[in-house]
Amino acid sequence: MELRVGTGFDLHRLEAGRPCILGGVQLPHPTGPAGHSDGDAVLHAIGDAILGAAGLDDLGTLFPDTDPTFRGADSAALLVECVQRVAAAGWSIVNVDVVVATEGPRIAPHRAAMRARIGELLGLDPGAVNVKGKSLEGLGALAGGTGVAVQTVCLLQR
């Protein structure tokens, strides 16, 4: 059995009037991640982690923000395409672990829904998906709820 680890990172500004979609779940919040697509930084980071572990191109190469085809795209659909590419390369996803750093929406009340949705998209039991929310403690450029940063790690096997 061959194993590979991949990491993913994404960062989005939070803007008023945008839906707050994180981990494939719409959270009740007055601001949401800005982006060419729906801005779901969680799914973007997961996509980059699984693609990277499989040695494939990254999300920005596959779905460039210069291509109008992807304007407003559903990040869940993009992640499913990433999963299909990883599977076509002979890999299966073992687990993912996600850290969401923000002073915007609280993550804890939505963890179970996010784990279930991510598991569904990746073809994993929710027990193989972990999501943690972290406060920024008022530090840095994202303090005050101006953005969301996501770090992800995954394990693939074949």
Side-chain angles (χ1 to χ4, degrees):
M1 176 187 315
E2 186 178 357
L3 300 173
R4 287 199 186 165
V5 174
T7 62
F9 177 80
D10 201 27
L11 174 73
H12 285 272
R13 186 175 50 256
L14 293 174
E15 292 184 353
R18 296 263 316 180
C20 189
I21 302 171
L22 292 171
V25 175
Q26 186 159 346
L27 311 182
H29 198 266
T31 63
H36 186 68
S37 66
D38 63 12
D40 189 332
V42 171
L43 298 188
H44 296 172
I46 293 170
D48 268 340
I50 65 172
L51 290 167
L56 302 173
D57 285 335
D58 68 359
L59 216 61
T61 301
L62 297 175
F63 312 107
D65 62 6
T66 55
D67 186 339
T69 304
F70 304 115
R71 177 167 296 288
D74 179 354
S75 294
L78 301 180
L79 181 59
V80 167
E81 186 169 332
C82 293
V83 170
Q84 291 168 346
R85 288 173 182 257
V86 166
W91 295 98
S92 60
I93 303 165
V94 176
N95 77 306
V96 296
D97 189 31
V98 180
V99 177
V100 183
T102 186
E103 288 183 356
R106 295 216 16 98
I107 301 304
H110 310 285
R111 283 183 68 232
M114 292 169 75
R115 291 176 70 191
R117 179 64 174 143
I118 293 166
E120 176 186 354
L121 295 169
L122 298 179
L124 295 175
D125 182 274
V129 177
N130 197 11
V131 176
K132 301 173 289 288
K134 297 295 180 185
S135 169
L136 298 166
E137 304 295 335
L139 300 173
L142 299 180
T146 60
V148 59
V150 180
Q151 177 71 49
T152 304
V153 64
C154 74
L155 180 65
L156 302 184
Q157 71 177 4
R158 74 165 153 193

